[in-house]
Amino acid sequence: TILQKYFPTYGVNNVKYFYLVSFFSSFWFIIGSWLFFVLHFVTNQEFALYESVAFLIGAVVEIPSGAFADLFGKKRTTVLSFYILIIGCILFALAGFGKPYLFIGNILIIISFAFKSGSMEALIYDTLLKEKKTKHFDEILSKTKSLEPLAQITTAFVGGLLWKISIYGPMIATMIAFTIAGLLAHRFDEVNIEKVGFNFKNFRNSSRLRGKTAVTTALAFSLMAFLNSDSMKNLTCVRA
């Protein structure tokens, strides 16, 4: 078929749903307006604080997430990440009822990224390993990444139109897309690959690199949050 021609090993169940889940996960209708949405409810300083705390918590969760996926199952971890993501988006959208909704929702969204990070890719690699088709792994990831900008550009444009209708429009559309992705994630098949028994030594070794990377990323994004907050403050002063 045409899909199998342009998307390698599309006929494999997990690979097919990997393409679909990744595509709908890129439907960030709020990507162009999320900053303005947040600043509608909090001050610049609160924004910087919320973002810093969220990314630092995400860094802490990122460290054991790989071991968690190995123990709990990569499909279950992926599905769980979408549950957390959807709940986080709902709370985020309820920001009008109070700042704690925004704060907790943002944290849950970042935590969902930590759980989802690598779990789907690892599931696909295990699938290809079982099917003896690991040579297609890089090509599959490349095809998936090529679809993401198309989805993001399209949804950013649509999100802008929805923003004109309601400031909640882009967030609601994003939640719907993520819900579809979460439902599709249920269609994954768990792959049983021989696992190494859990002990604290293996846990420490597998988490060390992830921990360094996660902390570095968190610090970088925390710095960006403070800088963006200061920039927005200066922009506000200039407009005033």
Side-chain angles (χ1 to χ4, degrees):
T1 64
I2 296 177
L3 287 175
Q4 289 177 330
K5 179 180 179 180
Y6 290 99
F7 297 97
T9 64
Y10 184 83
V12 178
N13 183 73
N14 280 356
V15 175
K16 175 175 66 177
Y17 284 104
F18 176 67
Y19 284 128
L20 293 173
V21 171
S22 299
F23 185 64
F24 281 100
S25 297
S26 302
F27 279 24
W28 283 92
F29 292 92
I30 199 172
I31 193 170
S33 58
W34 75 271
L35 180 59
F36 301 102
F37 180 84
V38 173
L39 292 178
H40 187 78
F41 302 102
V42 301
T43 65
N44 299 326
Q45 291 73 23
E46 287 172 330
F47 163 73
L49 177 62
Y50 288 4
E51 287 296 297
S52 298
V53 172
F55 277 106
L56 288 173
I57 291 177
V60 174
V61 176
E62 175 80 17
I63 296 172
S65 62
F68 181 86
D70 288 336
L71 292 170
F72 189 61
K74 297 178 179 67
K75 173 189 173 180
R76 294 189 183 94
T77 302
T78 300
V79 172
L80 175 63
S81 72
F82 278 106
Y83 284 150
I84 297 173
L85 176 60
I86 294 167
I87 293 173
C89 287
I90 292 174
L91 292 176
F92 200 84
L94 295 175
F97 290 95
K99 296 177 182 179
Y101 289 93
L102 184 68
F103 180 62
I104 297 173
N106 194 36
I107 290 176
L108 290 178
I109 291 172
I110 299 300
I111 289 176
S112 73
F113 294 159
F115 278 111
K116 181 174 171 288
S117 175
S119 61
M120 277 207 307
E121 288 85 353
L123 176 62
I124 297 308
Y125 186 82
D126 286 350
T127 300
L128 295 175
L129 187 63
K130 185 177 181 179
E131 298 286 336
K132 295 180 172 56
K133 296 181 179 180
T134 53
K135 64 180 182 179
H136 295 294
F137 182 68
D138 290 337
E139 186 178 1
I140 291 171
L141 293 185
S142 176
K143 291 287 186 179
T144 303
K145 296 299 181 183
S146 67
L147 291 175
E148 291 178 358
L150 175 63
Q152 290 171 353
I153 292 172
T154 303
T155 54
F157 174 76
V158 176
L161 298 178
L162 292 173
W163 177 267
K164 291 184 177 181
I165 300 174
S166 170
I167 64 172
Y168 298 98
M171 191 71 248
I172 293 174
T174 300
M175 283 191 294
I176 293 174
F178 289 165
T179 300
I180 294 173
L183 292 174
L184 290 172
H186 280 279
R187 305 293 294 178
F188 283 130
D189 295 323
E190 192 69 80
V191 181
N192 295 319
I193 300 295
E194 185 178 353
K195 301 176 182 178
V196 178
F198 175 82
N199 59 60
F200 286 105
K201 181 179 180 181
N202 291 336
F203 175 82
R204 184 176 63 252
N205 290 337
S206 64
S207 301
R208 186 175 297 156
L209 180 58
R210 296 175 68 88
K212 291 180 179 179
T213 303
V215 170
T216 301
T217 302
L219 291 175
F221 273 105
S222 297
L223 178 60
M224 288 172 61
F226 280 112
L227 291 176
N228 286 336
S229 174
D230 189 56
S231 297
M232 289 300 296
K233 182 178 179 180
N234 291 336
L235 179 59
T236 303
C237 293
V238 170
R239 287 181 176 177

